[in-house]
Amino acid sequence: MEARRTVQVKLSVSESDADLLHETIQQFRWAANYVVLNARNDDGYVETSKGKLNSRTYDDVRSETNLHANLVQAARSRAADALKSVVAKWKRGKNASLPYFSSPFLEYDKRSATFHDDHASLSTVDGRITAEYVLPDDERETPHSEYLFSDDYETTGATLHYRETTDEFYFHVRTKADVDAPEPRENGTVLGVDLGVENIAVTSTGVFWSAAELNHWHREYEKRRTSLQQCGSRSAHENMQAVGLKETGRFDQLLHRVSNELVEEADAHGCSHIAFENLTDIRNRIPGAKRLHAWAFGRLYDYTAYKAEERGISVQQVNPANTSRRCSSCGFTHEDNRSSQDTFECLKCGYLNHADYNAAKNIGYRLLGKQTAGEGGAPIGVRLNTGMMNANGVTAVPTLGRAGVHGECYGL
């Protein structure tokens, strides 16, 4: 199977080369925005075909900029991908504006850049420059040593980012490798995962990952953006972009950590599947969810999926209907079962527990039903913190308690 990894590398460039990169970034953004401006037809239809967009804009961009032909193509491709995303939202009935590129970035492929172990040769508006890599200690086990310097991984391209707050350039280097696919696990045990605003993830084994850090830093960055927006100056606008990049970087680290621990949790319990609720329109389903949360859920799912695949664990999405209202103990479904944001108490059997934990178990059961129906009744269970749930009920398979594991009795 093909494994893809991205490695962040700090760059060191001379002052004159930095000026060239800044000018190249400015012209690259202009090119991408020019493609967007010329994407709408007279009838209002927005063109997303890269070939047609290229025919409309290539000659104009070449004449108006000093960009190398490959960078012109890269700007067009970036614009086309952004347009496709907007059109997809329109088809789902969502409101979305045409994209506008304002952050300082550049897309490089193997035609516009030459990648080496310790530096890269980059195309600019005035020839090529050499950008040295600022690398960590070789003795340490880092993504650089695991992917960037590995003979197994091939560098396919990179995105150049400029951080205005620190006046630094960074490469997000894309790599890929053909690796042996692990044998899919067939024991049929499911780890259910519920996503939320207070707890970003809760598993059917009773492990909670709080969203407090995510929400705290989002509020802090929102305050900074509001303050900068009130200034209204160009430098304030540029600083807003830098704040956004820093926020994304911080949140990515958090989501990678949670995804690693989710996969470890599934692996520790011998799970063959991880079940998430379907992410479509999740922002509208979860009270208090913001655009940030929908973005974070998507990233968390993607990170978990590719990391789990390396261990032979399948990650799937299931219909989330009534998973927060259904009793995971007796199956009774009623909207009043969830007496508060955190508490689930079944009106029929009296089962009392944390609402997110109850939902995580139901999400696992939802995949359980899906899998048994599709596999002719194959034995599948949902891994719980007090045992493994199968189609016939709870079996006596105790699990070891540990920090972060929620007991079956609410409040423990």
Side-chain angles (χ1 to χ4, degrees), residues 193-203 207-215 251-252 254-259 261-262 276-277 279 282 286 292-301 303 354 356:
V193 181
D194 180 62
L195 304 173
V197 173
E198 297 300 322
N199 297 298
I200 191 170
V202 177
T203 67
V207 183
F208 286 57
W209 285 269
S210 172
E213 182 179 349
L214 181 81
N215 295 329
F251 293 161
D252 260 341
L254 170 64
L255 296 171
H256 271 298
R257 175 172 58 80
V258 175
S259 64
E261 294 176 3
L262 273 172
F276 282 79
E277 59 188 296
L279 301 183
I282 192 170
I286 298 181
L292 163 73
H293 297 99
W295 170 85
F297 298 151
R299 285 288 180 97
L300 180 60
Y301 175 83
Y303 293 161
H354 194 286
D356 295 342

Side-chain angles (χ1 to χ4, degrees), residues 59-213:
D59 290 340
D60 290 343
V61 173
R62 286 306 305 272
S63 64
E64 294 294 329
T65 70
N66 297 314
L67 293 174
H68 187 279
N70 293 321
L71 288 178
V72 174
Q73 299 283 11
R76 178 222 59 202
S77 296
R78 187 62 178 263
D81 291 340
L83 287 165
K84 287 178 182 177
S85 177
V86 170
V87 170
K89 291 180 180 178
W90 290 348
K91 289 180 178 179
R92 298 198 304 268
K94 300 296 180 183
N95 292 324
S97 302
L98 289 178
Y100 178 77
F101 299 95
S102 58
S103 61
F105 78 100
L106 262 172
E107 291 290 352
Y108 282 105
D109 60 20
K110 297 177 74 172
R111 297 170 298 175
S112 54
T114 304
F115 302 96
H116 302 276
D117 287 345
D118 58 356
H119 71 280
S121 172
L122 307 178
S123 175
T124 72
V125 291
D126 187 16
R128 285 195 169 228
I129 66 166
T130 296
E132 302 288 341
Y133 294 166
V134 180
L135 299 170
D137 186 349
D138 292 340
E139 299 298 323
R140 294 168 50 198
E141 186 175 335
T142 66
H144 307 80
S145 60
E146 189 173 357
Y147 307 119
L148 195 61
F149 304 143
S150 172
D151 293 334
D152 296 329
Y153 279 82
E154 172 193 0
T155 298
T156 60
T159 303
L160 176 72
H161 293 278
Y162 173 66
R163 296 184 182 177
E164 299 174 63
T165 52
T166 57
D167 190 25
E168 295 171 334
F169 290 98
Y170 281 83
F171 242 175
H172 291 187
V173 183
R174 298 183 292 274
T175 67
K176 70 175 183 178
D178 291 325
V179 298
D180 294 332
E183 289 295 325
R185 301 186 184 187
E186 298 180 354
N187 64 343
T189 305
V190 179
L191 181 76
V193 181
D194 180 62
L195 304 173
V197 173
E198 297 300 322
N199 297 298
I200 191 170
V202 177
T203 67
S204 56
T205 53
V207 183
F208 286 57
W209 285 269
S210 172
E213 182 179 349

Side-chain angles (χ1 to χ4, degrees), residues 194 202-203 208 322-329 337 344 351 353-365:
D194 180 62
V202 177
T203 67
F208 286 57
N322 292 320
T323 51
S324 63
R325 301 175 178 180
R326 180 184 184 275
C327 176
S328 61
S329 180
N337 279 347
F344 182 94
Y351 175 73
N353 215 310
H354 194 286
D356 295 342
Y357 173 57
N358 179 76
K361 292 197 290 182
N362 284 328
I363 290 169
Y365 298 153

Side-chain angles (χ1 to χ4, degrees), residues 223-270:
K223 291 178 183 176
R224 296 182 194 179
R225 274 191 290 267
T226 300
S227 177
L228 290 169
Q229 195 170 26
Q230 290 173 348
C231 292
S233 65
R234 179 176 179 178
S235 62
H237 177 75
E238 292 173 347
N239 283 333
M240 284 176 60
Q241 302 299 325
V243 167
L245 290 173
K246 186 174 182 180
E247 179 183 27
T248 301
R250 181 185 290 273
F251 293 161
D252 260 341
Q253 290 181 359
L254 170 64
L255 296 171
H256 271 298
R257 175 172 58 80
V258 175
S259 64
N260 286 336
E261 294 176 3
L262 273 172
V263 174
E264 290 292 342
E265 181 70 7
D267 196 27
H269 288 86

